[in-house]
Amino acid sequence: MSFVPGQPVTAVVQRVEIQKLCQGENLILGFSIGGGIDQDPGQNPFSEDKSDKGIYVTRITPGGPAESAGLKMGDKIMQVNGWDMTMVTHDQARKKLTKKREDVVRLLITRKSLEEAVKHSKGSHPSHLPAQTNARTTKDRVVL
Amino acid sequence: MFCRNQTTRATVARGSALEMEIRRGKFRKSDFLHTSSQDSDIQKKIDHEIRMRDGACKLLAACSQRDQALEAAKSLQTCSTRIMAYMSELQRMKEAQVMQNVPRRSSDAGPMDDRLPCKGKVAISDLRIPLMWKDTEYFKNKGELHRCAVFCLLQLGGEIFDTDMVIVDRTLTDICFDNTIVFSEASPGFELRVELYSCCSEDDYSAGSTPRKLASKLSSSLGRSAGKKLRAAMEPGACSPVSNGGAAPLLLPVPSVPGPKYHLLAHATLSLSHVQDSFRTHDLTISGNEECSYWLPLYGSMCCRLAAQPHCMTQQMMGGWLKVKQCGGDPKTWTKVYAVLKATSLFCYQRQEDVDANVEPALTIGINKETRIRASEKDPHSKGQNICISNRYGGEEVTHTLNTESREDTHSWMEAFWQHFYDMSQWKQCCDDLMKIELPSPRKPAPVTPKQGSLYHEMVIESSDDLSSTVSDILARRMQELELRSQLGTSPTWMSVFEENSPKSIGFPVRPCTSRLSGHSPHSPHRLPPRSPASPHRCPQPGLLSSDASLTSDSDSHCSTSPCSHRHGWPEPSSNFSLLSSSPSRLRPRTLSLDAKLSTLRGRGYGGGVAFQCSCQPPSSSLLAPHPVSSRSPLSQRSTQTTLSCSSSTSSSSSSNSEGSHSPESSEGGPFSRPSPARRSLRNLRARLDPRNWLQSQV
C-alpha cells in the first residue's frame, strides 16, 4: 500500500457502497476515519507502512451503515465517490464523506487481506484475474 | 582643513571647484564672505550638537538604569548622525555657492533649468514595521524574553529627527512609532532616509556585535566586570557611522562609552514617488543577520503615511490687482478684482481685505495642469497685455482674460504662472489636492503602556474564532462558567442516584463491550500502569476504558486524561442510564471525549435496545461518581484541574473528533450534549497544534 513517488499507485480494491443513515437532520455513515497528509502517519495503528498518509477506517459503529456495507476497520480508503483520498488532508477527506447533498457514498477501499486473497487465488489458479468484488448493502435501509 | 574655531573665515578645500574658480580669477574669495552667515548657522548647529553629544555621553556613563541608558544612547546616536549631516551639508553648501554665483542668463521665458521649484513640507507618520517571529518563538511561554530597543532615525536634507524608543520582544507583532515627523524645507527631489536602529536590551550592556551565545558564555564564565572589559575589547572598534571618514575631513572620534550601542538594522529611502495621501508599504533593506544580538526578524517592509505639502499649495504665490473679463463678453465689462494665486486656483476677491477675512471669492479660476495660459497681443483698448486663461470644464472651454495695469505687472504675473506650473510639474501628485498634515499636538501624549500589546491580544475572541494565544484564558473562563453552572444545583440530585446504582452497573455491561473490543486487547495491557495511580478504585474496569482509549491515540498522556474528561461527560450518560424516557435539565458538559461519544453512539444505537444503550456509559460514569460526592467545590476544582491538565497535555481523546462538521454531533440526537463552539474550536486548535495527534473524525 505504500507508494513510490512518481509511480502510479496500484492496489487491489473493493468497492463499498454505503447508504447514509438519516438521524434527525444529519446523515451519518457510521465509521470514523483517521489519517491525512496533515497528520502524523507514525501514529496510524492500521497502516503497514508507517509513512502512509492515507485515510484509514479507524472504527466502525456496530450496526451502522458502514458495517452493513462491508467496511472493515483498518481499511484504507482510496476514493470516495470518485474523489481521490490518497493525497488529501484529514479535513478534506471528512468533507468529501459528509456532503449533505449526497445520500450514498461509493468507496474504493483496500486492505491487506484483499491482496493476500488475490495472491492466494493467483497462486492456486494462475489463470484467474484479480477479483474485484462488489459488495453492496444487503438490506434496504429506511431513510427518514 | 575645516577648523571649528574660526567661524567667520570660510575655508576652501583644496582641489575643489571653488578653488579652481578662484584661481581662474572669476571671482574673489571675498565674494564668499556673505556665505559666512549661513556658514555660521550650520556652525552653531554643529556646536550645539556636539554639546548635546557630550552631555549624552556623560549621562550614559553616569546612569544606572537600563531605560535611561538606552535613551541616552539613542540621543548619542542622533547627535552623531546630525553632526555628520551638518558637516556634509556645509561642504555641499560651499560647492553650491560656486554654482549659483555663475551669472545667470536673463530671459523672459527662460529655460526651465534655471527655475527652482518651490519647497514644501514633508511629513511622515504612523510608521509601522511588521515582525515575523517564528510561530514556535511566538507561542512559547517560557524562557527569557529577548528584548530589543528600537528607534527610527529619519533624515531629509539637513534635518534629522528621531522617533521615540520602543522596546520590542517576541510578544509584539509590529513595531509602531506614533510620532509624526515634519520636515519643513524639502525640495521635490527629496530623499527621506529612514533608518531603524536597534540595540539588544539585556541586563548587562553586552557588546552588540559579538554573538549572543558567546557573550552570555563569557559573562557567565568570567565574572561581570572582567567579562565586560573583554567584551568591549572584542568589539570591532568604534562602529558608529561617524568614523567612516566620508565627507567630513575632520574625524570626530566618537568617545567609546560603555553602555548600550545602537546598530543599524534596516533602512529605506523614500522620495516623491512614494508620497501618497494614504498608507503605503515600502521595502526595507535589512542589514545584519541572525547572529547579531540586535537582530529582529523583520518582515522586510515598512508601512507609513508620507504626505507632502508644497508651498505652492499652502502659500499665496502671487497677489495683485487685475481686471478680469470673461471671453466672449462685452469688452467693456472689465471687473477689477484682487487676485490671489494659490494652490490650484486663482481666487479673485473684490477687496484686498477679503483674502484674510475668509470671504468667498467673487470668482475662482482654476489653475491646474490642464490650464492654458498665454499672453495675447497688445489690446488696443487697454494698456498692458492681456493674459488669457483657458480651462476645460466638461466639454466646453472657458476663457478668462486678465488685464493688468502695466507691462511689468503682466510680466510678473506670467512669471508667477510659469513658476506655478513648474512647481506643479515637479511636485506631481502632491499638487492634485492638498494633503493633510497633522502636526503633533504640543500636549504630552497619553502615557504609553509599558508593554505594547500585540494584535492578538487586542482581538476579541469570539466563540467561533480559532485563536490560540489565549487558549488558557478561554479555558480558565470556561471553567469559571462551569463552576457557576455546577453551583446551580442540578448535579447533586442525580449524582446521588448514581452512587446507589454504582455497584449494580459495574458488572452489567462488561460482556458486550469486551467482546467487541477483543481485537484490541494487545493494546490494553500497557495502558494500565499510567492509569492506576490516578484512579485506584477504577481497577475493576480498566480494561474497558483503556481499550477504548487505545483506539484514539497511542500516547499515554491521553489515557491519563481521558478519564478526567469523563467527568464532564457523565451528566449526560447518567441521565441516560437512570431516566431513559425523559431528559431532565442538566448540566451541559463542556468537554466530550471520544469515549463518551462512542458510548453515546452505541447508546443511541441504531434501533438498539436498552441494554445496548447503557453499554459503556455507566462504568465510566459510575467510576467517577464516588469522587466528588460530598460537595460541589471539589467537583469544580477537580474539573478545573483536570481540564487544565487536559489543556497542557492536549488530550487527543477529547479532541479527536473533528468538530468541523456538525453532522456527527447532531446525529446523536437532541439531548446529546454538544460542546460549545468555543470548546470545539479550541480543541480543534489544540489537536492541530499538537504534533503527537492523529486526528480521527466521525462520519
Side-chain angles (χ1 to χ4, degrees), chain B residues 479 560-561 563-565 567-568 635-649:
Chain B
M479 284 325 303
S560 58
T561 50
C564 306
S565 45
R567 264 170 237 223
H568 304 287
L635 161 67
S636 37
Q637 271 173 18
R638 210 157 309 185
S639 30
T640 315
Q641 290 162 11
T642 57
T643 313
L644 290 179
S645 69
C646 281
S647 70
S648 57
S649 64

PDB file of all heavy atoms in Angstrom, chain B residues 479 560-561 563-565 567-568 635-649:
ATOM      1  N   MET B 479     -13.979  27.371  32.581  1.00  0.00           N
ATOM      2  CA  MET B 479     -14.030  26.631  33.837  1.00  0.00           C
ATOM      3  C   MET B 479     -14.787  27.415  34.866  1.00  0.00           C
ATOM      4  O   MET B 479     -15.521  26.838  35.673  1.00  0.00           O
ATOM      5  CB  MET B 479     -12.619  26.328  34.334  1.00  0.00           C
ATOM      6  CG  MET B 479     -11.960  25.205  33.587  1.00  0.00           C
ATOM      7  SD  MET B 479     -13.093  23.919  33.087  1.00  0.00           S
ATOM      8  CE  MET B 479     -13.789  23.429  34.634  1.00  0.00           C
ATOM      9  N   SER B 560      -4.374   9.095  30.418  1.00  0.00           N
ATOM     10  CA  SER B 560      -4.487   9.603  31.778  1.00  0.00           C
ATOM     11  C   SER B 560      -5.481  10.732  31.844  1.00  0.00           C
ATOM     12  O   SER B 560      -6.044  11.004  32.879  1.00  0.00           O
ATOM     13  CB  SER B 560      -3.127  10.059  32.292  1.00  0.00           C
ATOM     14  OG  SER B 560      -2.630  11.051  31.426  1.00  0.00           O
ATOM     15  N   THR B 561      -5.689  11.382  30.782  1.00  0.00           N
ATOM     16  CA  THR B 561      -6.632  12.495  30.851  1.00  0.00           C
ATOM     17  C   THR B 561      -8.024  12.104  30.411  1.00  0.00           C
ATOM     18  O   THR B 561      -8.977  12.771  30.730  1.00  0.00           O
ATOM     19  CB  THR B 561      -6.166  13.661  29.981  1.00  0.00           C
ATOM     20  OG1 THR B 561      -5.846  13.143  28.701  1.00  0.00           O
ATOM     21  CG2 THR B 561      -4.927  14.282  30.604  1.00  0.00           C
ATOM     22  N   PRO B 563     -10.022   9.714  31.351  1.00  0.00           N
ATOM     23  CA  PRO B 563     -10.995   9.520  32.424  1.00  0.00           C
ATOM     24  C   PRO B 563     -11.378  10.845  33.051  1.00  0.00           C
ATOM     25  O   PRO B 563     -12.483  11.020  33.520  1.00  0.00           O
ATOM     26  CB  PRO B 563     -10.303   8.611  33.424  1.00  0.00           C
ATOM     27  CG  PRO B 563      -8.870   8.686  33.087  1.00  0.00           C
ATOM     28  CD  PRO B 563      -8.801   8.981  31.624  1.00  0.00           C
ATOM     29  N   CYS B 564     -10.466  11.738  33.073  1.00  0.00           N
ATOM     30  CA  CYS B 564     -10.788  13.029  33.663  1.00  0.00           C
ATOM     31  C   CYS B 564     -11.861  13.724  32.865  1.00  0.00           C
ATOM     32  O   CYS B 564     -12.782  14.302  33.408  1.00  0.00           O
ATOM     33  CB  CYS B 564      -9.537  13.909  33.685  1.00  0.00           C
ATOM     34  SG  CYS B 564      -8.156  13.134  34.483  1.00  0.00           S
ATOM     35  N   SER B 565     -11.714  13.649  31.591  1.00  0.00           N
ATOM     36  CA  SER B 565     -12.720  14.347  30.801  1.00  0.00           C
ATOM     37  C   SER B 565     -14.050  13.628  30.875  1.00  0.00           C
ATOM     38  O   SER B 565     -15.069  14.181  30.544  1.00  0.00           O
ATOM     39  CB  SER B 565     -12.268  14.490  29.357  1.00  0.00           C
ATOM     40  OG  SER B 565     -11.746  13.275  28.896  1.00  0.00           O
ATOM     41  N   ARG B 567     -15.458  13.094  33.408  1.00  0.00           N
ATOM     42  CA  ARG B 567     -16.195  13.770  34.451  1.00  0.00           C
ATOM     43  C   ARG B 567     -17.199  14.717  33.857  1.00  0.00           C
ATOM     44  O   ARG B 567     -18.256  14.925  34.369  1.00  0.00           O
ATOM     45  CB  ARG B 567     -15.225  14.568  35.305  1.00  0.00           C
ATOM     46  CG  ARG B 567     -14.832  13.773  36.516  1.00  0.00           C
ATOM     47  CD  ARG B 567     -13.714  14.461  37.221  1.00  0.00           C
ATOM     48  NE  ARG B 567     -12.633  13.513  37.302  1.00  0.00           N
ATOM     49  CZ  ARG B 567     -11.922  13.351  38.401  1.00  0.00           C
ATOM     50  NH1 ARG B 567     -12.163  14.068  39.430  1.00  0.00           N
ATOM     51  NH2 ARG B 567     -10.975  12.475  38.435  1.00  0.00           N
ATOM     52  N   HIS B 568     -16.780  15.287  32.778  1.00  0.00           N
ATOM     53  CA  HIS B 568     -17.712  16.203  32.148  1.00  0.00           C
ATOM     54  C   HIS B 568     -18.738  15.454  31.356  1.00  0.00           C
ATOM     55  O   HIS B 568     -19.807  15.924  31.093  1.00  0.00           O
ATOM     56  CB  HIS B 568     -16.941  17.152  31.232  1.00  0.00           C
ATOM     57  CG  HIS B 568     -15.877  17.863  31.988  1.00  0.00           C
ATOM     58  ND1 HIS B 568     -16.162  18.853  32.883  1.00  0.00           N
ATOM     59  CD2 HIS B 568     -14.540  17.687  32.005  1.00  0.00           C
ATOM     60  CE1 HIS B 568     -15.031  19.281  33.405  1.00  0.00           C
ATOM     61  NE2 HIS B 568     -14.036  18.595  32.904  1.00  0.00           N
ATOM     62  N   LEU B 635     -15.720  19.098  43.033  1.00  0.00           N
ATOM     63  CA  LEU B 635     -16.014  18.734  41.643  1.00  0.00           C
ATOM     64  C   LEU B 635     -15.452  19.770  40.706  1.00  0.00           C
ATOM     65  O   LEU B 635     -14.732  19.488  39.780  1.00  0.00           O
ATOM     66  CB  LEU B 635     -17.526  18.601  41.436  1.00  0.00           C
ATOM     67  CG  LEU B 635     -17.978  18.672  39.968  1.00  0.00           C
ATOM     68  CD1 LEU B 635     -17.470  17.472  39.204  1.00  0.00           C
ATOM     69  CD2 LEU B 635     -19.469  18.741  39.894  1.00  0.00           C
ATOM     70  N   SER B 636     -15.824  21.000  41.025  1.00  0.00           N
ATOM     71  CA  SER B 636     -15.382  22.026  40.099  1.00  0.00           C
ATOM     72  C   SER B 636     -13.886  22.202  40.157  1.00  0.00           C
ATOM     73  O   SER B 636     -13.238  22.420  39.170  1.00  0.00           O
ATOM     74  CB  SER B 636     -16.100  23.334  40.392  1.00  0.00           C
ATOM     75  OG  SER B 636     -16.261  23.484  41.785  1.00  0.00           O
ATOM     76  N   GLN B 637     -13.386  22.051  41.372  1.00  0.00           N
ATOM     77  CA  GLN B 637     -11.932  22.209  41.471  1.00  0.00           C
ATOM     78  C   GLN B 637     -11.236  21.144  40.663  1.00  0.00           C
ATOM     79  O   GLN B 637     -10.329  21.397  39.918  1.00  0.00           O
ATOM     80  CB  GLN B 637     -11.481  22.085  42.919  1.00  0.00           C
ATOM     81  CG  GLN B 637     -11.478  23.385  43.650  1.00  0.00           C
ATOM     82  CD  GLN B 637     -11.192  23.189  45.114  1.00  0.00           C
ATOM     83  OE1 GLN B 637     -10.683  22.135  45.492  1.00  0.00           O
ATOM     84  NE2 GLN B 637     -11.514  24.148  45.920  1.00  0.00           N
ATOM     85  N   ARG B 638     -11.747  19.954  40.872  1.00  0.00           N
ATOM     86  CA  ARG B 638     -11.060  18.871  40.186  1.00  0.00           C
ATOM     87  C   ARG B 638     -11.214  19.022  38.682  1.00  0.00           C
ATOM     88  O   ARG B 638     -10.335  18.768  37.914  1.00  0.00           O
ATOM     89  CB  ARG B 638     -11.621  17.540  40.643  1.00  0.00           C
ATOM     90  CG  ARG B 638     -10.580  16.441  40.586  1.00  0.00           C
ATOM     91  CD  ARG B 638     -10.933  15.321  41.505  1.00  0.00           C
ATOM     92  NE  ARG B 638     -11.221  15.813  42.848  1.00  0.00           N
ATOM     93  CZ  ARG B 638     -11.461  15.017  43.881  1.00  0.00           C
ATOM     94  NH1 ARG B 638     -11.459  13.744  43.711  1.00  0.00           N
ATOM     95  NH2 ARG B 638     -11.722  15.509  45.062  1.00  0.00           N
ATOM     96  N   SER B 639     -12.418  19.421  38.344  1.00  0.00           N
ATOM     97  CA  SER B 639     -12.601  19.552  36.900  1.00  0.00           C
ATOM     98  C   SER B 639     -11.740  20.673  36.364  1.00  0.00           C
ATOM     99  O   SER B 639     -11.251  20.603  35.271  1.00  0.00           O
ATOM    100  CB  SER B 639     -14.063  19.765  36.546  1.00  0.00           C
ATOM    101  OG  SER B 639     -14.714  20.445  37.587  1.00  0.00           O
ATOM    102  N   THR B 640     -11.565  21.669  37.234  1.00  0.00           N
ATOM    103  CA  THR B 640     -10.662  22.727  36.784  1.00  0.00           C
ATOM    104  C   THR B 640      -9.287  22.167  36.556  1.00  0.00           C
ATOM    105  O   THR B 640      -8.663  22.385  35.542  1.00  0.00           O
ATOM    106  CB  THR B 640     -10.577  23.826  37.854  1.00  0.00           C
ATOM    107  OG1 THR B 640     -11.868  24.130  38.319  1.00  0.00           O
ATOM    108  CG2 THR B 640      -9.923  25.057  37.284  1.00  0.00           C
ATOM    109  N   GLN B 641      -8.876  21.417  37.568  1.00  0.00           N
ATOM    110  CA  GLN B 641      -7.528  20.881  37.446  1.00  0.00           C
ATOM    111  C   GLN B 641      -7.416  19.980  36.241  1.00  0.00           C
ATOM    112  O   GLN B 641      -6.495  20.048  35.475  1.00  0.00           O
ATOM    113  CB  GLN B 641      -7.157  20.084  38.684  1.00  0.00           C
ATOM    114  CG  GLN B 641      -6.953  20.936  39.906  1.00  0.00           C
ATOM    115  CD  GLN B 641      -7.032  20.109  41.154  1.00  0.00           C
ATOM    116  OE1 GLN B 641      -7.042  18.882  41.065  1.00  0.00           O
ATOM    117  NE2 GLN B 641      -7.083  20.731  42.290  1.00  0.00           N
ATOM    118  N   THR B 642      -8.417  19.146  36.128  1.00  0.00           N
ATOM    119  CA  THR B 642      -8.285  18.159  35.052  1.00  0.00           C
ATOM    120  C   THR B 642      -8.363  18.827  33.699  1.00  0.00           C
ATOM    121  O   THR B 642      -7.680  18.472  32.786  1.00  0.00           O
ATOM    122  CB  THR B 642      -9.375  17.096  35.142  1.00  0.00           C
ATOM    123  OG1 THR B 642     -10.630  17.759  35.108  1.00  0.00           O
ATOM    124  CG2 THR B 642      -9.231  16.287  36.402  1.00  0.00           C
ATOM    125  N   THR B 643      -9.246  19.794  33.598  1.00  0.00           N
ATOM    126  CA  THR B 643      -9.337  20.427  32.283  1.00  0.00           C
ATOM    127  C   THR B 643      -8.061  21.150  31.953  1.00  0.00           C
ATOM    128  O   THR B 643      -7.587  21.122  30.840  1.00  0.00           O
ATOM    129  CB  THR B 643     -10.501  21.413  32.258  1.00  0.00           C
ATOM    130  OG1 THR B 643     -11.628  20.785  32.811  1.00  0.00           O
ATOM    131  CG2 THR B 643     -10.788  21.829  30.832  1.00  0.00           C
ATOM    132  N   LEU B 644      -7.499  21.758  32.980  1.00  0.00           N
ATOM    133  CA  LEU B 644      -6.254  22.454  32.686  1.00  0.00           C
ATOM    134  C   LEU B 644      -5.172  21.464  32.356  1.00  0.00           C
ATOM    135  O   LEU B 644      -4.325  21.707  31.537  1.00  0.00           O
ATOM    136  CB  LEU B 644      -5.851  23.327  33.873  1.00  0.00           C
ATOM    137  CG  LEU B 644      -6.763  24.525  34.052  1.00  0.00           C
ATOM    138  CD1 LEU B 644      -6.335  25.332  35.253  1.00  0.00           C
ATOM    139  CD2 LEU B 644      -6.724  25.396  32.823  1.00  0.00           C
ATOM    140  N   SER B 645      -5.236  20.337  33.013  1.00  0.00           N
ATOM    141  CA  SER B 645      -4.219  19.351  32.651  1.00  0.00           C
ATOM    142  C   SER B 645      -4.486  18.838  31.254  1.00  0.00           C
ATOM    143  O   SER B 645      -3.596  18.509  30.513  1.00  0.00           O
ATOM    144  CB  SER B 645      -4.185  18.205  33.654  1.00  0.00           C
ATOM    145  OG  SER B 645      -5.365  17.437  33.524  1.00  0.00           O
ATOM    146  N   CYS B 646      -5.756  18.812  30.913  1.00  0.00           N
ATOM    147  CA  CYS B 646      -6.079  18.431  29.540  1.00  0.00           C
ATOM    148  C   CYS B 646      -5.453  19.411  28.586  1.00  0.00           C
ATOM    149  O   CYS B 646      -4.903  19.051  27.582  1.00  0.00           O
ATOM    150  CB  CYS B 646      -7.606  18.454  29.318  1.00  0.00           C
ATOM    151  SG  CYS B 646      -8.431  17.019  29.944  1.00  0.00           S
ATOM    152  N   SER B 647      -5.587  20.641  28.949  1.00  0.00           N
ATOM    153  CA  SER B 647      -5.089  21.631  28.010  1.00  0.00           C
ATOM    154  C   SER B 647      -3.587  21.549  27.895  1.00  0.00           C
ATOM    155  O   SER B 647      -3.034  21.744  26.840  1.00  0.00           O
ATOM    156  CB  SER B 647      -5.498  23.026  28.461  1.00  0.00           C
ATOM    157  OG  SER B 647      -4.784  23.374  29.623  1.00  0.00           O
ATOM    158  N   SER B 648      -2.952  21.236  29.005  1.00  0.00           N
ATOM    159  CA  SER B 648      -1.495  21.215  28.902  1.00  0.00           C
ATOM    160  C   SER B 648      -1.011  20.006  28.154  1.00  0.00           C
ATOM    161  O   SER B 648      -0.010  20.042  27.481  1.00  0.00           O
ATOM    162  CB  SER B 648      -0.874  21.260  30.291  1.00  0.00           C
ATOM    163  OG  SER B 648      -1.374  20.166  31.034  1.00  0.00           O
ATOM    164  N   SER B 649      -1.731  18.935  28.260  1.00  0.00           N
ATOM    165  CA  SER B 649      -1.232  17.756  27.555  1.00  0.00           C
ATOM    166  C   SER B 649      -1.945  17.538  26.247  1.00  0.00           C
ATOM    167  O   SER B 649      -1.678  16.580  25.552  1.00  0.00           O
ATOM    168  CB  SER B 649      -1.395  16.518  28.443  1.00  0.00           C
ATOM    169  OG  SER B 649      -2.771  16.316  28.666  1.00  0.00           O
TER     170      SER B 649
END
